[in-house]
Amino acid sequence: FMRAGAVNMAGIAGFGMASRIMRSKRDDWKKVESFRDMIELELKSVTNVSVVGKEVKRLGNMSMLSFPGSDAAFLAAEMERMHGMCVGIGSAAEPGSFSRVLKAMGKSRSLSGSTLRFRFGPWFNKAAAQNIIVSICSALREEKGRQIV
């Protein structure tokens, strides 16, 4: 498909350079994936978490974790308050809403309000992964304490 007008040479060159950079960082992204898997495995051993989408091919730098019976908005706020983390909850932030991503995956509406999304960058390392585990566990304990009172 050709269009009339000037060709975006800067855009073409930029895309080519970005492709070369990403190809050269392939090993770094494999490490990110291994740390993501470490988080998921560790959390499964200490919490009632389910990894959404684990059964299908997915990006190595993404994790979607559901904590049944928990409030994702509360967990995200606690993780930010206690540990300075920014965690995505998508449309789960709106009461009664249903994440279109989870809906497209055939997941239940109740899963939407208890799901946190994480995206990791090339800077991600073992210390950052361990900090996420601690942060999630702290937020879950805080939520449980709030429910008891």
Side-chain angles (χ1 to χ4, degrees), residues 4 11 16 19-20 39 46 49 60 62 65 70 74-75 78 85-86 90 95 99 110 123 136 141 143-144 147:
S19 297
R20 282 191 292 282
I39 289 170
V46 296
V49 66
M62 301 290 291
L65 304 173
S70 289
F74 177 83
L75 295 178
E78 281 301 296
M85 293 188 170
C86 181
S99 164
S110 63
W123 52 266
I136 290 172
R141 276 193 302 278
E143 182 184 43
K144 187 175 182 177
Q147 292 169 350

Side-chain angles (χ1 to χ4, degrees), residues 5 18 32 38 44 63 71 73 89 107 117 119 140 145 147 149:
V32 169
M38 180 188 89
K44 279 184 118 359
S63 185
D71 178 359
I89 54 176
K107 303 299 180 182
R117 289 185 313 217
R119 182 177 61 196
L140 288 166
Q147 292 169 350
V149 175

Side-chain angles (χ1 to χ4, degrees), residues 23-92:
R23 202 173 318 119
S24 73
K25 303 276 186 199
R26 195 173 302 168
D27 290 340
D28 293 343
W29 288 106
K30 286 290 182 191
K31 288 178 187 172
V32 169
E33 185 174 357
S34 71
F35 293 134
R36 178 210 60 194
D37 293 345
M38 180 188 89
I39 289 170
E40 293 171 355
L41 200 62
E42 182 73 25
L43 286 173
K44 279 184 118 359
S45 73
V46 296
T47 68
N48 181 24
V49 66
S50 64
V51 180
V52 180
K54 188 167 179 72
E55 65 281 356
V56 297
K57 189 172 181 178
R58 58 193 176 130
L59 293 173
N61 70 324
M62 301 290 291
S63 185
M64 192 178 295
L65 304 173
S66 180
F67 301 89
S70 289
D71 178 359
F74 177 83
L75 295 178
E78 281 301 296
M79 290 174 71
E80 181 176 357
R81 183 183 71 78
M82 294 186 300
H83 299 276
M85 293 188 170
C86 181
V87 180
I89 54 176
S91 62

